[in-house]
Amino acid sequence: MDAITYELWMLFVAFGITEFSIFAQGMHLGATAGNAYVVSDRSEPAPFEGPMGGRLARNVRNQIEGMALFVPLVLIASLAGISNGWTQTAALVFVCARLAYVPLYAFGIKGLRSMAWTVGFFALLAFAWGLYSAA
């Protein structure tokens, strides 16, 4: 268990948030477009998603984009054996920001959603600084 750093645990939590986002979007799509559409080849756009469906779909894309930036930082930290106050705090802040982002985006709360995204974005920069300063 010593090999699992705090940053790797935060990556695991971020994975869970992304999985939940995908699940929520799929469940909403099934409820609004119907199961026939969900199991189809989806060559046509959904017949009805509604505003929340669109936001849930965009949230999934945004979660994946965030993971594309977070995963390499955690892997670099893990492979380099770097775990410090900067990387740990930044990982926690990133995960908390992403956790807040999901319902804020789903329910269309504009200002706070943008704030959560910005906090998460700068947490990634802080994580990178933690790696750079330890190298």
Side-chain angles (χ1 to χ4, degrees):
M1 283 301 215
D2 292 343
I4 302 202
T5 64
Y6 187 81
E7 294 84 356
L8 285 169
W9 277 116
M10 290 298 101
L11 179 58
F12 184 71
V13 174
F15 163 80
I17 294 167
T18 304
E19 281 289 309
F20 174 79
S21 295
I22 293 167
F23 177 77
Q25 190 266 337
M27 293 302 291
H28 186 272
L29 184 62
T32 57
N35 287 332
Y37 177 77
V38 171
V39 298
S40 74
D41 64 4
R42 298 188 196 184
S43 56
E44 299 294 323
F48 177 75
E49 270 189 295
M52 181 176 277
R55 289 190 302 268
L56 288 170
R58 289 187 298 278
N59 169 61
V60 167
R61 283 193 306 272
N62 194 276
Q63 292 293 343
I64 292 168
E65 290 167 1
M67 290 295 280
L69 297 173
F70 186 54
V71 169
L73 291 172
V74 174
L75 290 178
I76 291 167
S78 183
L79 292 172
I82 299 171
S83 180
N84 57 41
W86 278 97
T87 60
Q88 292 174 8
T89 302
L92 176 63
V93 170
F94 175 79
V95 166
C96 289
R98 298 313 299 177
L99 186 60
Y101 184 84
V102 174
L104 292 172
Y105 203 164
F107 294 108
I109 303 170
K110 298 174 189 167
L112 291 177
R113 178 207 67 185
S114 296
M115 187 183 306
W117 183 92
T118 302
V119 167
F121 180 79
F122 282 105
L124 293 171
L125 294 175
F127 196 117
W129 173 254
L131 291 173
Y132 175 77
S133 64

